[in-house]
Amino acid sequence: MALMAACSGLFAAASSIQIKSAELDQQEDFYSLDADVEINFDKEIEEAVNKGVPLNFLVEFQIVSPRKYWFDDEITTKSKTFSLSYHALSRQYLVNHGAHQLSFETIGEAANELGNLSDWKVVEKSLLEKGELYNAALLIRLDQTKLPKAIQVDAISSEKWNLSSQKFEWTLKELK
């Protein structure tokens, strides 16, 4: 029992990105993506952010039409970036979603905002046919190429900086 408790404590302390759910929401002439993502940082990454290292994340989304005897037909592939940084003078964590910037007092609050992916326009309705079957996939990862060079070297040999979700896949049915 003590070993199990020690292992679960160790797992909770590790950095992770986990996509809990994702779905397409029908709008007037397009579909938007809503996803619930849990992002956790270990002490080493949290300290790096507090010392001024910005974290840039890449979100990748894809819809394909499966084919039985050939490669899947790619309908759309979208990507977007968002970032987390710390502003030492104001003691605020900043989350940048493109043109929008939000500030938070704790890194936990900022991580919660990073995990709130909503109303992202990903595909026009005209590209999807009613009654057809489609597969969707979502992946979120830390963009290591945007880290400072010294950390990029460390990231090569360390799993701590290899922050990536598992690919979250689901089938789209009954599109209107």
Side-chain angles (χ1 to χ4, degrees), residues 26-31 121 123-127:
Q26 182 176 341
Q27 303 296 326
E28 191 170 313
D29 57 349
F30 61 90
Y31 288 95
K121 181 180 173 180
V123 64
E124 294 179 19
K125 275 187 175 179
S126 62
L127 294 176

Side-chain angles (χ1 to χ4, degrees), residues 46-91:
E46 194 172 319
E47 286 175 17
V49 170
N50 290 336
K51 290 180 180 179
V53 175
L55 301 180
N56 294 283
F57 295 89
L58 183 62
V59 182
E60 298 169 316
F61 174 77
Q62 184 176 55
I63 295 178
V64 297
S65 177
R67 293 184 181 171
K68 193 170 188 173
Y69 297 110
W70 197 247
F71 297 111
D72 292 342
D73 185 24
E74 181 182 315
I75 305 300
T76 188
T77 298
K78 298 278 186 179
S79 64
K80 73 187 270 184
T81 60
F82 54 91
S83 66
L84 169 68
S85 59
Y86 182 68
H87 189 262
L89 290 175
S90 66
R91 295 183 182 166

Side-chain angles (χ1 to χ4, degrees), residues 6-143:
C7 289
S8 66
L10 183 65
F11 180 73
S15 295
S16 65
I17 300 175
Q18 180 184 10
I19 301 172
K20 293 182 165 194
S21 66
E23 64 182 10
L24 290 185
D25 187 29
Q26 182 176 341
Q27 303 296 326
E28 191 170 313
D29 57 349
F30 61 90
Y31 288 95
S32 64
L33 176 70
D34 294 328
D36 182 23
V37 181
E38 184 177 314
I39 300 176
N40 296 307
F41 302 115
D42 67 5
K43 291 294 180 193
E44 183 178 331
I45 291 179
E46 194 172 319
E47 286 175 17
V49 170
N50 290 336
K51 290 180 180 179
V53 175
L55 301 180
N56 294 283
F57 295 89
L58 183 62
V59 182
E60 298 169 316
F61 174 77
Q62 184 176 55
I63 295 178
V64 297
S65 177
R67 293 184 181 171
K68 193 170 188 173
Y69 297 110
W70 197 247
F71 297 111
D72 292 342
D73 185 24
E74 181 182 315
I75 305 300
T76 188
T77 298
K78 298 278 186 179
S79 64
K80 73 187 270 184
T81 60
F82 54 91
S83 66
L84 169 68
S85 59
Y86 182 68
H87 189 262
L89 290 175
S90 66
R91 295 183 182 166
Q92 297 283 309
Y93 293 91
L94 306 175
V95 175
N96 290 311
H97 288 281
H100 304 297
Q101 180 174 310
L102 301 169
S103 60
F104 300 92
E105 291 187 20
T106 68
I107 197 166
E109 292 172 341
N112 285 340
E113 177 60 31
L114 288 171
N116 184 15
L117 186 60
S118 62
D119 294 329
W120 180 25
K121 181 180 173 180
V122 290
V123 64
E124 294 179 19
K125 275 187 175 179
S126 62
L127 294 176
L128 303 177
E129 295 181 30
K130 184 178 180 180
E132 289 293 317
L133 184 68
Y134 298 97
N135 294 331
L138 179 65
L139 178 73
I140 302 173
R141 63 184 172 85
L142 177 66
D143 189 353

